[in-house]
Amino acid sequence: MFETKLTTIPITKEMVKKAYRKVKANQGAAGVDKESLEKFQSNLSGNLYTLWNRMSSGSYFPKPVRSVSIPKSNGKRRMLGIPTVSDRIAQQVIKDYLEPRLEEQFHDNSYGYRPLKSAHDAVAAVQNNVREYKWVVDLDIKSFFDEVDHELLMKSLDRHVPEPWVKLYIRRWLESPVQESDGTLTRKTGQGTPQGGVISPLLANLFLHYVLDKWLTKTYPYIAFVRYADDIVIHCQREMETRSILDGVRERLSDCKLRLNEEKTKVVYCQDYRRVKKKQFGKKFDFLGFTFKPVSLPSLYGGMYVSYEHTMSQASQTRILTGWKKEKWHLRSNLTIQDIADQVNIPMRGIIRYYGKFGLWKLESLIYRFELRLVKWVLKKYRKLNGNYVQAYRWIKEMKVSYPGMFYYWTLF
């Protein structure tokens, strides 16, 4: 292998190799050059050398970002920007270089896309807060990633990044045009950072650190908040505080060239057994795939009581059920039950580990719906059961006794 030489920009080959390994682990689609990870790896040494040479000399320029439209749970679509493999590696190099420095600045209540923090940590923080605070302001920033102001973002970077070469590359990524599926190039107009870029979450966290995190802490020291990327939940004790906070946040976002999504932003009263009922306010909100709402639970002393808890959201459940329906394995009598298990076990494991983190009992309804689909497959495959659901359930139960590890969920429920 070639030796690293001193250059005007302190990027070493080891930094590029390390970044490549992370990009490889995360996989991802090809960019505008249609070069997949597999194709990139066919000349790995040469491609990494070329990238290092360009980055370390200042001659690196990113290619346009490929625009991809993906469906959202509400029926709308989200636009993602997919950089090329080389550009993802380059962004990872700069992310690795900057992240330790910026992590020292970030607020403890910021959880999104940060080392040693997770969505589960954010959900747990919200759950703890709703027990202490009666009111929630569920904030939604309109088109955040499309409207991040480049000059304000670079101003945030100036506070922590003295190296001109780092800011040079970040500005080039920010200004990279977007290429549509028909080949049309859309130029940036001083705002936006594409969802899908490796560096985007770090830049978003830095931007919102100054726009909201520090500002909230200084302006409203008596409240609590949890932020996961651009999903923000603010907790307070009094109704009048929610009005003041909403007005303040609206003005703050406007000053920072962002907008509040008025239709999705709402005030919620966290009703539980300790709190007076307030019928005129909403009592539930969604956060990271969970719905927080009043739930009746059995008391240790007999009877029931109302607690404010989180469960799997209806939108998440609908998305999963729609996915199972589209797979149509319940209609294919040519499959074996092992074929079905092989097909569903990996995604099922992810679903259970995420949504069942705070209690498997919260998934009983979803598992019931899955097993009902499995029953339909049994009845289609074994006509001799004559559509008898009881016998089909009995057949599944016998399979579970004989092969308890066939389906992942069989080991848990």
Side-chain angles (χ1 to χ4, degrees), residues 28-46:
V32 295
D33 58 1
K34 299 181 180 179
E35 182 178 50
S36 64
L37 267 168
E38 291 73 18
K39 186 175 180 181
F40 186 90
Q41 292 165 5
S42 65
N43 183 25
L44 183 60
S45 180

Side-chain angles (χ1 to χ4, degrees), residues 225-255:
F225 72 92
V226 175
R227 182 173 67 79
Y228 192 94
D230 60 331
D231 289 332
I232 307 112
V233 175
I234 299 176
H235 305 266
C236 51
Q237 289 288 14
R238 300 175 181 84
E239 178 189 345
M240 62 182 295
E241 291 172 355
T242 66
R243 299 171 185 170
S244 171
I245 289 168
L246 261 178
D247 290 341
V249 168
R250 187 180 292 109
E251 184 177 349
R252 174 64 176 173
L253 291 179
S254 178
D255 290 342

Side-chain angles (χ1 to χ4, degrees), residues 123 126-127 130 138 266 268 282-295 307-318 354-355 358 361-362:
V123 172
V126 171
Q127 182 65 71
V130 296
D138 182 18
K266 58 185 177 181
V268 175
K283 292 183 173 58
K284 64 180 180 179
F285 65 95
D286 287 356
F287 183 64
L288 300 181
F290 293 90
T291 295
F292 288 78
K293 62 182 181 180
V295 177
S307 180
Y308 202 83
E309 300 286 336
H310 61 281
T311 60
M312 184 180 188
S313 72
Q314 185 60 53
S316 298
Q317 189 164 196
T318 299
Y354 185 76
Y355 293 104
F358 304 99
W361 63 270
K362 297 180 180 182

Side-chain angles (χ1 to χ4, degrees), residues 265-385:
T265 295
K266 58 185 177 181
V267 172
V268 175
Y269 182 62
C270 304
Q271 176 71 58
D272 68 10
Y273 72 96
R274 302 168 299 168
R275 296 165 182 164
V276 176
K277 292 183 178 181
K278 295 181 181 290
K279 295 182 179 180
Q280 66 271 37
F281 292 96
K283 292 183 173 58
K284 64 180 180 179
F285 65 95
D286 287 356
F287 183 64
L288 300 181
F290 293 90
T291 295
F292 288 78
K293 62 182 181 180
V295 177
S296 294
L297 297 176
S299 170
L300 293 175
Y301 308 101
M304 305 292 288
Y305 75 102
V306 176
S307 180
Y308 202 83
E309 300 286 336
H310 61 281
T311 60
M312 184 180 188
S313 72
Q314 185 60 53
S316 298
Q317 189 164 196
T318 299
R319 174 179 53 80
I320 293 167
L321 292 173
T322 301
W324 289 343
K325 186 176 181 179
K326 285 181 178 179
E327 290 170 359
K328 296 183 178 180
W329 49 260
H330 63 290
L331 300 176
R332 296 177 57 189
S333 58
N334 62 308
L335 296 177
T336 67
I337 191 170
Q338 185 63 61
D339 292 334
I340 297 172
D342 292 341
Q343 182 176 335
V344 305
N345 270 342
I346 291 178
M348 180 69 83
R349 184 180 294 114
I351 290 168
I352 291 175
R353 288 182 176 178
Y354 185 76
Y355 293 104
K357 171 71 173 180
F358 304 99
L360 291 175
W361 63 270
K362 297 180 180 182
L363 295 182
E364 288 176 352
S365 173
L366 184 71
I367 294 302
Y368 169 77
R369 299 289 293 275
F370 175 83
E371 200 140 273
L372 182 59
R373 195 162 295 277
L374 193 58
V375 164
K376 291 180 179 179
W377 170 82
V378 173
L379 294 176
K380 189 167 187 67
K381 187 173 182 68
Y382 300 103
R383 304 281 185 177
K384 63 182 181 180
L385 296 179

Side-chain angles (χ1 to χ4, degrees), residues 9-34:
I9 295 176
I11 293 178
T12 66
K13 292 188 187 65
E14 189 52 45
M15 291 166 66
V16 176
K17 291 178 191 173
K18 178 183 176 183
Y20 158 73
R21 289 192 289 268
K22 291 184 178 180
V23 169
K24 180 183 177 183
N26 290 329
Q27 293 298 307
V32 295
D33 58 1
K34 299 181 180 179

